[in-house]
Amino acid sequence: MRDATEYNGYSAAEACYSAGRTSVSEEYYLLKSKIHGRLLDMIDLSLLDTMEHDMLRMKIGMLVEKILLEDDSCMPLNSIERKLLASEIQDEVLGLGPLEPFLQDPTISDILVNNYKKVYIERFGKLELTGARFKDDAHLRRIIDKIVSFVGRRIDESSPMVDARLKDGSRVNAIIPPLALDGPVLSIRRFSVDPLELEDLIELKTLVPGLGLLLQGIVKAKLNVLISGGTGSGKTTMLNVLSRFIPENERIVVIEDAAELQLKQEHVVRLETRPPNIEGKGEVTQRDLVKNSLRMRPDRIIVGEVRGQESLDMLQAMNTGHEGSLTTIHANSPRDALLRLETMVAMANFDIPSEFIRRYVSSALDIVIQIGRMTDGTRKLVSLQEITGMEGNIITMQEIFSFSQSGIDEAGKVHGSFVFSGIRPRFIEKFQVSGIKVPFAIFDPSKTEQV
């Protein structure tokens, strides 16, 4: 089995730089493709599902070494390069080829393939261009097909976009020509095998301990929560953390476009949408699943992200006894989140006046949590607002907690302060009825925490 420290998380092609090559030649990729083809002729593919992974890697490594020794036409390689080449071919057969080392690196949160020659990663909130690459567009397409076939989906000219997931739950999006002009594009949003907990968010300065207590109470008191934020801001991570506080004796129905949430409770029913088949039939949308979930006797409904007509059914569920429901939405502020939610309800093609929609939203939702991604790559809970009702035709909100950025130091790190506004939220009454104790001292605005 490959020693991860030996290759430092890089593919064989990248490691060739440190082995003395100033560039990875086309000859190298032709060699790899040639050996891969011969290997597939020699190995019994039926063994892939029966042999242990480590044993299979070892067998493939031995076969690669045998092919290199027998073929005099191969380009000269030193011992390090031979091991690296064998490792890359093992990844090609058993994993996702050049992407496999990145999937083994827990510090990488995103893998972004712009074309077969350019692979970026995000590490600690910052993008880096890697030396990894695919042989050509066809090679990249094979890897994409391998990913999407795992979840029973397809990608071709008639359906050139697809959402999928990896075995570890990581979210995948792929788009191919004719929509992608420079060749296939692949984006992987990775998720940790051990998802972050509340204590981790506190340690990472995403929030403060007092707010952590408040968030636990919000979930246990069955308040309906909308988590808002931009792409990559940490909405799903926050949703995962909040879900930890749902009592074990409650039935949870989770609805997602591509399954990625990692709930730890026992009584969880997971539902996933389905795209239309090649004839354009058989599609199952989030709206269909939300409607169906109401017949499944849920105590809580969690929608991974509302992005369309299912928002109306989600609000109806919140208003008809399914308290404590959680969902996320893409928006830049709590006010924008409500506006976007109102717009999506209007997309359901019901002739509902906007004032009625707003009243429905204000009645259904209790809390809006805004997550922000700072310029240094860190994530912060930048605002927690309580919806208090309507004033005329406007949904009224009051901010309970916020993060205020004060500046950036020479190293590019964001500095600021977490502070409670001093307002005692109305939901405290529900806390008291539910027997949830939160010290009133945490709302003291004079107790700020600098980061």
Side-chain angles (χ1 to χ4, degrees), residues 329-346:
I329 192 170
H330 272 84
N332 293 326
S333 70
R335 181 62 63 183
D336 287 346
L338 297 184
L339 179 60
R340 186 155 186 260
L341 192 60
E342 179 186 340
T343 303
M344 287 190 290
V345 171

Side-chain angles (χ1 to χ4, degrees), residues 207-252:
L207 47 88
V208 292
L211 182 58
L213 284 175
L214 197 61
L215 292 175
Q216 290 185 50
I218 284 171
V219 176
K220 290 176 181 177
K222 288 195 167 185
L223 299 180
N224 293 321
V225 179
L226 178 67
I227 301 170
S228 168
T231 300
S233 59
K235 300 185 299 298
T236 302
T237 298
M238 180 59 66
L239 185 55
N240 260 324
V241 168
L242 294 185
S243 72
R244 301 286 185 270
F245 309 126
I246 298 176
E248 289 284 349
N249 62 350
E250 294 189 17
R251 178 175 170 85
I252 307 166

Side-chain angles (χ1 to χ4, degrees), residues 65-357:
E65 189 66 30
K66 181 181 178 182
I67 293 170
L68 286 171
L69 289 172
E70 291 177 352
D71 194 340
D72 296 332
S73 65
C74 289
M75 62 186 288
L77 298 172
N78 60 37
S79 60
I80 294 176
E81 290 173 326
R82 283 173 178 266
K83 288 181 181 178
L84 294 169
L85 178 62
S87 173
E88 197 166 73
I89 292 176
Q90 287 167 339
D91 290 338
E92 200 72 44
V93 176
L94 302 176
L96 300 183
L99 304 182
E100 197 64 28
F102 304 130
L103 294 170
Q104 307 305 320
D105 187 341
T107 66
I108 294 174
S109 55
D110 284 274
I111 303 170
L112 308 169
V113 183
N114 288 4
N115 55 54
Y116 77 90
K117 289 183 178 180
K118 287 188 178 179
V119 179
Y120 288 83
I121 59 170
E122 182 186 287
R123 185 186 271 121
F124 307 121
K126 297 291 185 179
L127 285 175
E128 306 172 19
L129 176 62
T130 72
R133 56 161 282 183
F134 295 81
K135 179 177 180 290
D136 49 27
D137 284 342
H139 183 198
L140 178 52
R141 271 296 304 273
R142 284 199 303 273
I143 298 298
I144 292 174
D145 289 336
K146 195 172 185 179
I147 293 171
V148 301
S149 63
F150 169 72
V151 290
R153 301 197 174 186
R154 63 185 178 84
I155 185 167
D156 50 41
E157 286 191 7
S158 63
S159 180
M161 296 184 294
V162 69
D163 287 314
R165 68 179 185 277
L166 302 181
K167 292 179 181 179
D168 64 359
S170 297
R171 183 196 307 167
V172 178
N173 175 267
I175 182 167
I176 63 172
L179 301 187
L181 301 181
D182 299 322
V185 179
L186 179 65
S187 307
I188 301 176
R189 170 68 52 81
R190 297 200 54 220
F191 292 95
S192 173
V193 176
D194 297 316
L196 295 176
E197 303 290 347
L198 179 63
E199 294 75 18
D200 299 314
L201 297 189
I202 293 172
E203 186 177 343
L204 292 169
K205 302 298 182 183
T206 299
L207 47 88
V208 292
L211 182 58
L213 284 175
L214 197 61
L215 292 175
Q216 290 185 50
I218 284 171
V219 176
K220 290 176 181 177
K222 288 195 167 185
L223 299 180
N224 293 321
V225 179
L226 178 67
I227 301 170
S228 168
T231 300
S233 59
K235 300 185 299 298
T236 302
T237 298
M238 180 59 66
L239 185 55
N240 260 324
V241 168
L242 294 185
S243 72
R244 301 286 185 270
F245 309 126
I246 298 176
E248 289 284 349
N249 62 350
E250 294 189 17
R251 178 175 170 85
I252 307 166
V253 176
V254 181
I255 298 165
E256 299 176 87
D257 259 340
E260 54 187 308
L261 290 172
Q262 298 167 293
L263 275 69
K264 291 189 175 180
Q265 288 85 346
E266 289 292 329
H267 203 164
V268 176
V269 177
R270 303 174 70 208
L271 306 177
E272 186 179 42
T273 60
R274 185 177 72 184
N277 59 24
I278 197 167
E279 291 146 3
K281 299 177 181 179
E283 181 181 17
V284 179
T285 65
Q286 279 202 147
R287 185 172 192 190
D288 297 326
L289 295 178
V290 173
K291 286 180 178 179
N292 188 78
S293 71
L294 301 179
R295 306 184 186 100
M296 300 173 69
R297 197 256 173 226
D299 289 305
R300 310 248 187 171
I301 298 174
I302 297 178
V303 178
E305 180 185 342
V306 288
R307 59 182 70 176
Q309 298 178 351
E310 71 277 357
S311 55
L312 175 61
D313 302 283
M314 182 71 190
L315 293 174
Q316 285 181 323
M318 291 176 173
N319 267 321
T320 54
H322 300 91
E323 297 172 315
S325 295
L326 308 167
T327 189
T328 72
I329 192 170
H330 272 84
N332 293 326
S333 70
R335 181 62 63 183
D336 287 346
L338 297 184
L339 179 60
R340 186 155 186 260
L341 192 60
E342 179 186 340
T343 303
M344 287 190 290
V345 171
M347 287 167 55
N349 295 325
F350 289 108
D351 190 14
I352 306 174
S354 61
E355 181 179 353
F356 180 81
I357 294 175

